[in-house]
Amino acid sequence: MICLYVLDDKTPGKWAMGGASRWWLHHSLASLDSGLQRLGTRLILRRGDAFEIVTGLASELGAQTVFWNRCYEPSARERDAQIKAQLKDGGIGAETFNGSLLVEPWHLKTKDGGPFRVYSPYFRALAPHCDDVALLPVPGAIQDGSDGVHSDALSNWSLLPSAPDWSKGFSPVWTPGEAGARERLETFCEDAASEYAGTRNLPGTEGTSRLSAHLHFGEISPRQVWHHTVRHVPAGKGRETFLKEIGWREFSYNLLFHFDDLPESNYQTKFNGFPWDFDEGSFEKWTRGQTGYPIVDAGMRQLWQTGWMHNRVRMIVASFLTKHLLIDWRRGEEWFWDTLVDADLANNAASWQWVAGSGADAAPYFRIFNPVTQGKKFDEAGSYVREWVPELSRLSAKYIHAPWTAPAEELKRAGIKLGRDYPEPIVDHPKARERALAAFSSLKDAA
Ligand code: FAD
């Protein structure tokens, strides 16, 4: 047997892997290769058109069968169908499996036989299929067939950034690979899962699993996560809420499978006439964490420095971009695509559309997060902001989410001059809110 990984940047087109994901991929492949070497073989690496490489190598080596796990991104589905057909034409078997979902999208249908568009009934249909999933054991050894087969050197793929190396903050936080994924799951189930219902909303605590990138890269499967959770976390609100989040991931895949253009087009077509207003300067301030709203800036800097952002803050920054700045959700989606280690076509597109209001079962557009209230509610003592926006670290909790409301003496004591050390807010919340609501009602008037 030979184990092959193909880095195919052509098939996904615009959605070729972003920079932060490439950092993860490098370490994940290195880890996979070590794991395979322990089993007696190695990982063969090839870069290029997956169709050419897989079908070419299979016939060159006289393979009997090619095995892979199914993908659900539209371009990958199309490519894999072509590979399968070509292999079969050449008399080579092709066997594919579900390695990354609890239940594949075509198995769950509404009573009318159509796809689910609303999350709660979707989850009710999904959950009964999950408790009794059986896990397969890891093989004890793999018979190596890779002798004489060329493999690219991982270091030649230049997946790690250099000049400048913006990934310095990644290694202290992440351990890509199966062992790192397993450890995250076990630690989370032991330390945090029971309290997850409350702590998952607090960005200043380690209240969530941080499994998203491990799940995306297939280092752990949702079946393993579900299986371990129901066996090691006592039944209760924490466990239930966590499993529902795993359900949101499945729901996103269900949406992407049934609505191919989810990453590019408004799911609710009435948003096609939305008067977005792109301003380069404001967009850049948002990407750099310089909006003057501390919770937004903390999130955007956490993202840049670690390749990950807490879910509550993802919602706040996405709402800020699409509603306070009226910038099209697709610009935010692209920025996240490049900067997240867990960038995932289904989750990213579904979540951006959910926040923007254009998605399936989405938050209503008129629910516009107030970044100050959100900060006070979910980062009450300001510890999250202090960590990621250190220039504000000496401000008291009372003012940390709205420094412009602090009296002059307080700012002086904290060593801050607004506009010099930290920006004034780039938009006024009440005015921005009004502008967003007016934009939304123009849509309703046009409909
Ligand atoms: P936990 O809270 O521990 O949840 C466990 C797992 O459930 C996650 O690892 C993830 O696989 C899944 N999950 C949790 N919340 C969601 C959700 N709302 N939608 C779908 N699945 C979820 N998640 C990604 O994996 N990739 C993305 O590209 C992505 N982009 C997002 C963009 C925006 C604007 C928003 C608001 C959310 C996005 N999410 C994305 C969803 C969510 O923020 C992350 O999955 C979560 O923060 C990952 O951290 P965790 O593993 O600690 O999550």
Side-chain angles (χ1 to χ4, degrees):
M1 177 183 279
I2 75 154
C3 301
L4 171 71
Y5 178 84
V6 181
L7 176 56
D8 177 357
D9 280 328
K10 192 180 125 205
T11 300
K14 167 178 186 193
W15 300 112
M17 225 178 264
S21 299
R22 283 172 196 266
W23 176 90
W24 191 287
L25 178 68
H26 176 98
H27 295 290
S28 189
L29 291 174
S31 160
L32 179 58
D33 183 45
S34 309
L36 289 173
Q37 297 214 18
R38 281 194 294 278
L39 296 176
T41 183
R42 67 189 171 120
L43 185 61
I44 302 294
L45 299 176
R46 294 285 179 90
R47 187 172 196 161
D49 183 317
F51 177 87
E52 305 283 330
I53 293 171
V54 174
T55 56
L57 200 58
S59 71
E60 186 187 315
L61 296 175
Q64 285 175 354
T65 313
V66 180
F67 304 86
W68 69 86
N69 283 340
R70 287 187 280 275
C71 296
Y72 307 92
E73 292 80 5
S75 61
R77 275 166 53 203
E78 197 179 312
R79 174 199 64 199
D80 292 355
Q82 286 165 359
I83 295 177
K84 197 170 193 173
Q86 176 78 8
L87 290 172
K88 289 206 161 150
D89 277 357
I92 301 171
E95 286 195 35
T96 68
F97 302 89
N98 168 16
S100 57
L101 291 177
L102 288 161
V103 177
E104 292 178 297
W106 50 89
H107 290 306
L108 294 181
K109 295 202 175 95
T110 61
K111 282 197 189 99
D112 305 340
F116 281 97
R117 295 160 188 266
V118 180
Y119 171 74
S120 297
Y122 172 80
F123 188 73
R124 280 197 296 277
L126 171 80
H129 297 278
C130 303
D131 280 347
D132 54 357
V133 289
L135 300 182
L136 298 173
V138 178
I142 296 178
Q143 209 183 350
D144 182 36
S146 72
D147 221 21
V149 180
H150 165 79
S151 173
D152 294 350
L154 183 57
S155 54
N156 287 346
W157 281 6
S158 305
L159 297 172
L160 300 177
S162 59
D165 176 7
W166 40 257
S167 71
K168 290 197 180 81
F170 288 23
S171 310
V173 188
W174 305 113
T175 311
E178 280 185 84
R182 187 85 211 158
E183 199 186 326
R184 279 260 181 226
L185 175 64
E186 287 170 2
T187 310
F188 171 73
C189 285
E190 216 162 282
D191 299 348
S194 302
E195 302 303 321
Y196 178 79
T199 53
R200 78 191 186 102
N201 272 314
L202 308 178
T205 61
E206 286 252 353
T208 69
S209 70
R210 304 202 183 199
L211 280 168
S212 48
H214 296 290
L215 279 163
H216 172 77
F217 281 91
E219 298 165 358
I220 198 162
S221 76
R223 290 179 166 214
Q224 287 169 298
V225 174
W226 191 288
H227 193 264
H228 189 87
T229 305
V230 294
R231 278 158 189 77
H232 294 91
V233 181
K237 199 103 187 75
R239 177 171 114 179
E240 199 184 302
T241 311
F242 179 65
L243 295 177
K244 279 190 176 154
E245 292 305 312
I246 299 294
W248 271 105
R249 176 178 180 274
E250 299 277 317
F251 184 57
S252 301
Y253 275 82
N254 161 73
L255 291 175
L256 180 63
F257 181 80
H258 292 292
F259 309 99
D260 270 19
D261 54 354
L262 192 73
E264 287 91 23
S265 308
N266 293 306
Y267 174 87
Q268 295 181 40
T269 48
K270 72 170 183 205
F271 273 80
N272 290 351
F274 193 87
W276 301 112
D277 181 19
F278 184 73
D279 174 65
E280 186 72 51
S282 308
F283 180 68
E284 197 179 309
K285 284 180 182 140
W286 178 80
T287 61
R288 288 169 184 258
Q290 293 288 343
T291 68
Y293 284 94
I295 192 81
V296 174
D297 295 340
M300 296 308 291
R301 296 187 201 182
Q302 180 182 33
L303 172 61
W304 182 253
Q305 287 173 43
T306 68
W308 183 87
M309 192 197 304
H310 190 277
N311 180 59
R312 167 60 46 185
V313 193
R314 290 188 204 201
M315 293 195 286
I316 299 170
V317 304
S319 171
F320 189 84
L321 185 80
T322 52
K323 298 176 184 179
H324 286 75
L325 301 181
L326 278 193
I327 292 180
D328 193 325
W329 59 267
R330 284 160 280 225
R331 298 304 297 253
E333 182 196 28
E334 283 166 19
W335 180 256
F336 271 30
W337 184 255
D338 199 27
T339 52
L340 278 172
V341 288
D342 66 22
D344 181 279
L345 199 65
N347 281 350
N348 200 33
S351 301
W352 270 98
Q353 294 226 41
W354 187 89
V355 178
S358 62
D361 201 9
Y365 183 85
F366 54 79
R367 199 193 290 157
I368 297 174
F369 281 144
N370 177 333
V372 176
T373 323
Q374 288 283 310
K376 286 183 175 164
K377 187 165 172 196
F378 297 112
D379 184 36
E380 201 182 347
S383 59
Y384 180 71
V385 165
R386 284 196 183 85
E387 181 174 0
W388 298 107
V389 190
E391 64 269 36
L392 298 179
S393 63
R394 288 194 286 155
L395 263 186
S396 65
K398 186 169 177 195
Y399 298 111
I400 197 152
H401 291 293
W404 63 94
T405 62
E409 336 57 277
E410 165 87 12
L411 288 171
K412 195 165 170 218
R413 194 195 53 74
I416 301 159
K417 187 168 175 348
L418 287 179
R420 183 193 66 190
D421 306 307
Y422 183 71
E424 303 265 9
I426 60 169
V427 285
D428 173 59
H429 170 69
K431 282 195 197 134
R433 186 172 182 282
E434 248 170 61
R435 188 169 76 122
L437 290 175
F440 182 58
S441 62
S442 76
L443 198 63
K444 280 193 295 190
D445 295 344

